[in-house]
Amino acid sequence: MRSFKPLILGAIFFALLIGAWKWGGFSTFDWKLFGQTFRQLDPVWVFLSVIFSLGTYVGRAVRWKVMILHQKPDAGHGILLRDTCIGYAAAVLAGRAGEFVRPYLIARSLRLSISSQLAIWSLERLMDLIAVLVLFGFALSQMQESPAAHLNEQIRWVLEYGGKLSILIGAVTLVVLIAFRSFSDISQQRVSDALSFLPGNIQERVSNFLKAFAEGMKSTRSPRTLALVLLLTLIEWLVVEGCYYSIFRSFPETAHLTLVDTLVVLGFVSFGSIIQIPGVGGGMQIVSVLVLTQLFAVPVEHATALAMILWAIGFAVIVPLGALLALRSGLRWQDLKQ
């Protein structure tokens, strides 16, 4: 199955591409209008979006510092920020597999075990998931009030209750997180028992993940630490929201989108980025185009250009800095790839 994974992801990507072509209006694509998008951008807002984007990496380094206080109280912010930038650059260039570069580099730099940093990474992913679910759910539930959205009554109903469901799932996930924090062994056993019907190899993978996650949760045994990590996660995603909002403000066709509208796009893009092709992205660009054209009636040419800008500033902007820091640290691409 592992050898077929790239083919499966590729098939999903091209299915989305065909859907975007058919329903997004690409069959009558106006390349001149597409080019006008870049010429009409407000450089001040674009610059601000880049600052917000780079600020997210500072926030992630600070949050990681808090999560490893019990392991390495004297961990330097500079080291964590450097390894975070290199790790995210590797994730853009190598896809999902590149995400493991960051915990590996941090473990090596701070002389910690790789398993402990993978545990922190698992906790960070869950924190991000909770934040996206809650913020996205809130935005969806408020969409019926948006003057920019083009929705019929059925779609309004779906978005409203879909938003409430998203908030509920986020809340349940947070409860599960707290349960693992307070009752780690019991929670692991309950989940393992509930999944006992699965094949043995899948049960083993789930068990290993639960152990890693429980290890990561040790960093939040203190209520103050857990509250601080949750607060930093919220701030992190508000900074990401600021990046997206600045990009939309930079272009006349989307300057009228509200903060709630931007949160909706951010939520869809966050889930769309799960399908990622190394160096290209993939799912997030297509999802961006579909949301902008179908929910906000942005012409497909402008939506396509904006999707490229969202990817370039929101994801790829870290690549030059990450590559420079990697070279300065004596790291080679082959080393990171391995």
Side-chain angles (χ1 to χ4, degrees):
M1 286 302 295
R2 288 182 180 178
S3 61
F4 284 107
K5 186 176 180 180
L7 294 177
I8 295 172
L9 290 177
I12 294 174
F13 173 75
F14 284 110
L16 288 171
L17 186 62
I18 292 172
W21 184 276
K22 183 175 180 180
W23 291 292
F26 279 92
S27 56
T28 57
F29 196 84
D30 186 341
W31 289 101
K32 184 178 180 180
L33 195 61
F34 170 79
Q36 287 177 356
T37 307
F38 299 96
R39 293 192 293 272
Q40 294 176 0
L41 293 174
D42 184 334
V44 175
W45 280 106
V46 172
F47 176 76
L48 185 60
S49 70
V50 172
I51 297 300
F52 273 121
S53 182
L54 294 176
T56 63
Y57 302 102
V58 177
R60 291 187 182 281
V62 171
R63 182 174 57 176
W64 200 287
K65 163 77 172 178
V66 173
M67 291 191 291
I68 63 171
L69 278 176
H70 70 295
Q71 300 174 346
K72 200 78 172 179
D74 59 342
H77 288 289
I79 293 174
L80 291 171
L81 181 57
R82 180 199 64 194
D83 291 346
T84 295
C85 292
I86 297 173
Y88 271 95
V92 173
L93 296 174
R96 288 298 167 195
E99 291 192 2
F100 294 100
V101 170
R102 181 165 57 124
Y104 162 74
L105 289 177
I106 293 174
R108 192 186 72 164
S109 298
L110 300 180
R111 297 182 180 179
L112 297 169
S113 67
I114 295 178
S115 61
S116 70
Q117 299 314 291
L118 286 174
I120 296 296
W121 177 81
S122 301
L123 175 60
E124 182 192 58
R125 295 297 90 192
L126 184 62
M127 291 291 186
D128 286 338
L129 175 62
I130 293 172
V132 171
L133 285 170
V134 173
L135 292 174
F136 181 48
F138 168 76
L140 282 181
S141 65
Q142 301 299 312
M143 273 292 289
Q144 67 271 19
E145 305 297 333
S146 172
H150 293 68
L151 310 172
N152 57 40
E153 286 302 319
Q154 289 77 12
I155 294 298
R156 288 179 185 274
W157 183 88
V158 170
L159 292 180
E160 179 183 356
Y161 285 93
K164 292 177 180 179
L165 178 61
S166 180
I167 293 175
L168 177 61
I169 294 174
V172 170
T173 307
L174 180 59
V175 170
V176 171
L177 183 149
I178 295 174
F180 264 90
R181 169 181 170 272
S182 304
F183 310 102
S184 177
D185 294 336
I186 297 175
S187 299
Q188 288 184 67
Q189 188 60 47
R190 291 289 176 85
V191 174
S192 298
D193 292 343
L195 299 178
S196 59
F197 64 92
L198 294 174
N201 60 331
I202 296 180
Q203 288 189 50
E204 183 179 358
R205 289 187 182 183
V206 172
S207 177
N208 291 336
F209 171 78
L210 292 176
K211 289 178 181 177
F213 178 67
E215 180 66 26
M217 285 305 299
K218 290 181 180 179
S219 64
T220 63
R221 288 291 171 87
S222 164
R224 180 177 176 275
T225 302
L226 177 60
L228 183 56
V229 171
L230 288 171
L231 177 61
L232 289 172
T233 301
L234 176 61
I235 294 173
E236 169 74 20
W237 281 95
L238 290 178
V239 173
V240 177
E241 159 78 353
C243 173
Y244 276 56
Y245 181 73
S246 299
I247 291 173
F248 291 143
R249 288 285 296 176
S250 71
F251 184 60
E253 284 282 342
T254 55
H256 64 287
L257 296 185
T258 66
L259 288 171
V260 169
D261 299 330
T262 308
L263 270 177
V264 169
V265 178
L266 174 59
F268 278 114
V269 167
S270 298
F271 292 115
S273 62
I274 293 173
I275 303 173
Q276 187 176 20
I277 296 177
V280 177
M284 68 83 56
Q285 290 99 321
I286 295 175
V287 170
S288 300
V289 173
L290 290 176
V291 172
L292 289 171
T293 55
Q294 301 305 309
L295 285 185
F296 301 107
V298 177
V300 67
E301 294 83 2
H302 295 320
T304 304
L306 287 170
M308 294 174 62
I309 295 168
L310 286 173
W311 178 79
I313 296 178
F315 291 86
V317 73
I318 196 61
V319 171
L321 178 59
L324 180 63
L325 291 172
L327 288 173
R328 186 177 179 183
S329 302
L331 294 170
R332 298 179 304 169
W333 170 245
Q334 289 301 323
D335 297 332
L336 296 178
K337 188 177 179 180
Q338 183 62 39

